[in-house]
Amino acid sequence: MLQFVLECIAFQLLFLVIYDFFLKRETFFQWNRVYLLATFILSLVLPWVKIEAFKQQVPQNLVMYPELWWNFQKLEITATAIDEPFFNITWQEGLLYGGMLVAFVLFLLKLGQLHLLKKHGKKIKYPEFTQIIISNSTMAFSFFKSIFLGDKVVAKKHDTIIAHELVHIRQGHTWDLLFFELMRIIAWFNPLVYVYQNRTAELHEFIADAQVSKEQQPAHYQQLLAQVFETEHISFINQFFTKSLIKKRIVMLQKSKSKDVFKLKYLLLIPLVLGMLIYTSCESESTTSEVKNQELSLNDEALIEDIKSEIKQAKIQYGENWFIEMPNIFGDNQHKDFYIQTKKEYFRSSLSFIYYMSDLMQKYPGKLKIDPASMVYPSEEEYTNYVKREKAFQILDENLRISVSDKDMSIHLIEKDDKNLGPGDWITVEDVKDLTGTEIKKVNKALDLIKGTPRNVVIKDEQYSFLILNKIRQPLDLNFLEESSKNSTGKSEQTETISFASIDQVPIFPGCENASDKRGCFNDKIQLHISKNFRYPIEAQEAGLQGRVSVMFMITKEGAIENIRLRGPDKLLEDEVERIIKRLPNMTPGKHQGNTVNVPFSIPVTFKLK
């Protein structure tokens, strides 16, 4: 929303600059009226417009964290939706709504002023308008089809003023001013709304003056303008006399009519609006490229050789940091729920993992224990099974998916020819897609009982059967990694990025300077910060969204928080976690072997509905 507001204000400013420098002094008053109304509305619409033909890829700096770093920390935050007070709003929201309330009250007071004038004035009805005579007054203004005149003005028979106000009535000028009055209530903080209203009210007077001066003697009309009248300080009425406008109106009356050729100035709108459309249609481009559909036709051997070449080239280009820097290893989309990797994405991530683990085993012999099953080259059959598993996972009830994920278990759709499922508990439910509260409690109880055992749980309905089991693979323990290498002189050559688990001196969270256990204090402060700033998005609650959002960010060598990366079931939940992380304070940077380094930190935040 903030970006939308800033874009609207920026567009309005550009439109007003064009108006003030090129159009304001011309006598194309009706054209200018349309310009002001149209450009203001355009400024509200353009930020939402995305034209495919204008789309560009705007590159952005992207740090690709190794997959292994996402689960280094055992720390986890569980955030539960609670019944919040009805008026639970932030101070920013309070300021916004408070300003809107004040602006609305002022609007009502102005309407009250008009009502009192109309109530106490003498009314005379005419075919086109109602004249309201105010006693002991020299005011003159119109509001919709009512013309308010002081009795002293009527006594002098200033019919010219009535003719002037009739122009306002016939052309519906009050509607223009009321539109901007409404915008003043909604966007009271935007100074350009007031400028737009002021420019429009000014044009209304020029339009009415130009019309009346054609029918009256210009000299007599200018003399009338120079007289002194009372004014009402109401922003949405068309009043005949306004001190700040008298000089401008007289100047415009004396100004020669602009040549038609000058209407070409309005063509300046075309490149301006096109530029805005190009800006609003731009989309960010990560450093990863999209996998083309035709790549799926490659056979296993050719595809593997192709990816090996990519890895070889990445090693030449990035050296030991190839796994971090190599594009396309882990794309953003695959971390979303229900995203199924393309064949090349699946092969690339599998092969990159194998080569990276091989590099680590050579560098640290005997220290890395890896399941041999994870070091087998991927195949067409393996990819087909992966796709089937992912598609099957999409069938499940959302609460069951969360339970399986939270308990770090695996789940598979049981095929008819599956045999030797092993010992386990069978749970029959009405619909695996939509479990009742009682059913999910029963499943959770069974999952708690089998955790850490060789037993399984089978959940089934009339159509599907699913096998839930403990994961066979053990999590990799990479705490032994020392993020440095020895050069030929034997001196330590420090890399710029060190994992939180391996660093000598962790970054210091404000308030942990004197703590004996700075690592523990850091974790405690992170948990406190997330708990304190957490707000379960209302839209997410209404949509029933819950699940785990993993977030990783970099604590730079300057102590700043940058390169926030998120994985979660929905953008609403990801945005909430990103908002919280962006509020983290600057920290004292981490050090490794005496050098200040960048430190990635990851933490999962679980959203749960009651």
Side-chain angles (χ1 to χ4, degrees):
M1 180 56 71
L2 178 60
Q3 181 179 353
F4 169 74
V5 171
L6 293 176
E7 287 178 353
C8 285
I9 293 175
F11 293 166
Q12 289 167 14
L13 181 61
L14 289 173
F15 286 136
L16 283 172
V17 167
I18 294 292
Y19 177 79
D20 282 354
F21 279 90
F22 298 101
L23 306 174
K24 186 178 178 180
R25 295 173 182 81
E26 304 300 336
T27 60
F28 309 125
F29 303 132
Q30 293 290 5
W31 284 58
N32 283 350
R33 179 190 177 193
V34 172
Y35 174 91
L36 288 176
L37 290 170
T39 55
F40 189 89
I41 295 171
L42 267 177
S43 71
L44 303 179
V45 174
L46 284 174
W48 303 104
V49 177
K50 309 289 182 185
I51 298 180
E52 195 70 29
F54 290 157
K55 281 193 175 182
Q56 295 181 357
Q57 295 289 317
V58 180
Q60 62 180 17
N61 293 328
L62 175 66
V63 172
M64 189 63 67
Y65 298 115
E67 183 72 11
L68 305 170
W69 284 358
W70 282 89
N71 298 307
F72 263 162
Q73 278 66 256
K74 297 179 181 179
L75 182 67
E76 180 174 357
I77 297 291
T78 299
T80 306
I82 59 174
D83 295 329
E84 299 181 349
F86 183 74
F87 291 106
N88 184 23
I89 59 176
T90 64
W91 70 266
Q92 296 96 333
E93 294 170 335
L95 180 63
L96 173 64
Y97 299 140
M100 292 171 65
L101 179 62
V102 171
F104 182 67
V105 169
L106 291 176
F107 174 69
L108 293 180
L109 290 175
K110 294 172 186 178
L111 288 178
Q113 286 180 262
L114 288 176
H115 176 72
L116 290 175
L117 288 173
K118 193 170 186 178
K119 179 180 179 182
H120 296 298
K122 180 182 177 181
K123 301 177 186 65
I124 304 174
K125 290 189 177 293
Y126 294 94
E128 287 191 84
F129 67 98
T130 298
Q131 182 174 295
I132 301 172
I133 301 174
I134 311 299
S135 62
N136 196 29
S137 171
T138 57
M139 69 176 58
F141 65 88
S142 63
F143 181 68
F144 284 119
K145 291 189 176 183
S146 297
I147 297 178
F148 294 77
L149 293 174
D151 54 359
K152 297 178 182 179
V153 176
V154 176
K156 294 182 180 181
K157 298 182 179 180
H158 286 318
D159 295 338
T160 305
I161 295 178
I162 294 178
H164 177 99
E165 299 303 329
L166 275 173
V167 177
H168 292 313
I169 292 173
R170 289 167 182 159
Q171 298 197 12
H173 290 171
T174 303
W175 288 109
D176 298 358
L177 298 181
L178 275 178
F179 169 73
F180 287 112
E181 195 71 21
L182 175 63
M183 293 299 101
R184 283 175 57 166
I185 295 173
I186 297 173
W188 59 269
F189 51 85
N190 180 8
L192 299 185
V193 177
Y194 303 83
V195 177
Y196 260 95
Q197 189 182 44
N198 178 270
R199 298 287 190 275
T200 303
E202 186 180 85
L203 270 176
H204 290 168
E205 299 310 314
F206 294 160
I207 291 170
D209 288 344
Q211 185 70 30
V212 174
S213 66
K214 294 178 182 178
E215 304 166 0
Q216 306 286 339
Q217 294 182 0
H220 172 72
Y221 190 64
Q222 291 178 32
Q223 184 181 6
L224 179 61
L225 284 176
Q227 296 181 26
V228 177
F229 295 86
E230 294 178 20
T231 58
E232 285 292 325
H233 299 290
I234 300 175
S235 54
F236 52 84
I237 62 174
N238 294 113
Q239 51 187 336
F240 183 81
F241 179 79
T242 305
K243 291 181 180 179
S244 60
L245 272 179
I246 292 301
K247 185 177 179 181
K248 293 180 181 179
R249 290 167 66 182
I250 293 175
V251 169
M252 276 297 179
L253 281 170
Q254 296 173 343
K255 188 177 179 63
S256 300
K257 185 179 179 181
S258 299
K259 296 179 181 180
D260 286 344
V261 70
F262 291 152
K263 289 180 181 178
L264 293 175
K265 291 181 178 181
Y266 292 99
L267 295 178
L268 289 170
L269 261 184
I270 296 176
L272 184 60
V273 172
L274 284 176
M276 292 175 178
L277 286 173
I278 292 172
Y279 167 77
T280 58
S281 297
C282 288
E283 59 183 13
S284 296
E285 173 192 44
S286 70
T287 56
T288 61
S289 62
E290 295 182 358
V291 178
K292 299 178 181 179
N293 292 331
Q294 57 265 31
E295 291 174 335
L296 297 178
S297 64
L298 296 172
N299 60 45
D300 293 355
E301 184 177 355
L303 185 55
I304 288 173
E305 290 302 317
D306 186 24
I307 295 171
K308 282 182 178 179
S309 298
E310 288 183 19
I311 294 174
K312 183 178 180 180
Q313 184 61 37
K315 286 187 174 185
I316 294 173
Q317 184 174 355
Y318 301 112
E320 288 189 354
N321 293 327
W322 71 270
F323 189 75
I324 303 174
E325 301 292 345
M326 179 181 170
N328 299 320
I329 293 183
F330 303 106
D332 288 339
N333 288 331
Q334 65 177 293
H335 305 315
K336 307 290 185 181
D337 269 8
F338 307 139
Y339 177 79
I340 298 178
Q341 292 175 295
T342 63
K343 183 178 179 182
K344 187 164 187 177
E345 286 174 337
Y346 182 84
F347 273 48
R348 183 187 287 114
S349 58
S350 297
L351 284 171
S352 298
F353 176 82
I354 291 172
Y355 272 76
Y356 183 59
M357 289 298 103
S358 298
D359 289 350
L360 289 181
M361 285 189 290
Q362 291 180 15
K363 188 173 182 180
Y364 305 102
K367 292 187 177 182
L368 186 62
K369 297 180 180 179
I370 298 179
D371 182 359
S374 66
M375 302 292 283
V376 178
Y377 278 9
S379 63
E380 177 72 32
E381 181 182 2
E382 181 182 343
Y383 175 71
T384 301
N385 291 332
Y386 156 77
V387 172
K388 286 182 179 180
R389 287 196 303 269
E390 293 301 310
K391 287 183 177 179
F393 193 74
Q394 298 173 13
I395 300 171
L396 291 176
D397 174 271
E398 185 175 9
N399 289 308
L400 180 55
R401 292 200 304 268
I402 293 172
S403 295
V404 171
S405 177
D406 285 349
K407 293 176 171 57
D408 199 32
M409 294 185 173
S410 180
I411 190 162
H412 305 283
L413 179 65
I414 299 175
E415 303 288 350
K416 291 182 179 179
D417 55 349
D418 282 348
K419 298 178 180 179
N420 301 321
L421 297 178
D425 302 316
W426 289 70
I427 300 175
T428 302
V429 297
E430 289 293 327
D431 185 1
V432 293
K433 298 179 183 178
D434 187 15
L435 299 182
T436 65
T438 302
E439 289 172 343
I440 193 64
K441 287 180 181 178
K442 187 176 181 180
V443 173
N444 282 334
K445 184 176 180 180
L447 296 182
D448 289 335
L449 291 174
I450 69 165
K451 191 167 181 63
T453 72
R455 293 181 63 83
N456 305 317
V457 169
V458 175
I459 179 171
K460 59 174 292 186
D461 61 13
E462 293 182 357
Q463 186 175 3
Y464 301 105
S465 296
F466 291 92
L467 175 69
I468 306 176
L469 63 159
N470 292 296
K471 287 186 177 178
I472 299 174
R473 296 181 184 177
Q474 297 298 320
L476 286 171
D477 180 11
L478 300 179
N479 290 329
F480 68 87
L481 288 178
E482 297 179 5
E483 306 287 344
S484 61
S485 60
K486 295 288 183 177
N487 56 23
S488 57
T489 61
K491 295 181 180 180
S492 176
E493 186 176 300
Q494 182 63 48
T495 61
E496 291 188 353
T497 303
I498 304 297
S499 71
F500 190 87
S502 305
I503 194 169
D504 293 340
Q505 299 177 32
V506 299
I508 300 175
F509 201 105
C512 293
E513 291 81 2
N514 299 321
S516 56
D517 181 8
K518 291 183 171 57
R519 193 182 300 268
C521 183
F522 183 97
N523 288 334
D524 292 341
K525 290 287 187 180
I526 286 286
Q527 291 186 70
L528 180 62
H529 173 84
I530 294 176
S531 301
K532 182 179 178 181
N533 291 278
F534 173 80
R535 292 181 62 217
Y536 211 121
I538 300 299
E539 299 92 333
Q541 294 186 51
E542 292 174 348
L545 297 173
Q546 55 184 343
R548 179 184 295 180
V549 176
S550 295
V551 57
M552 179 173 280
F553 54 90
M554 189 74 75
I555 305 167
T556 68
K557 291 187 285 187
E558 292 74 35
I561 306 299
E562 294 182 0
N563 299 314
I564 300 173
R565 310 289 290 156
L566 299 121
R567 301 178 181 178
D570 190 88
K571 191 175 187 303
L572 281 172
L573 304 184
E574 290 182 347
D575 288 346
E576 172 59 16
V577 175
E578 183 177 17
R579 181 189 68 81
I580 295 171
I581 298 303
K582 283 183 175 180
R583 295 171 68 96
L584 282 169
N586 275 19
M587 307 182 188
T588 303
K591 290 187 176 182
H592 194 73
Q593 297 182 357
N595 297 313
T596 302
V597 294
N598 297 322
V599 182
F601 186 86
S602 68
I603 182 171
V605 180
T606 301
F607 289 74
K608 283 188 177 180
L609 294 169
K610 280 190 174 181

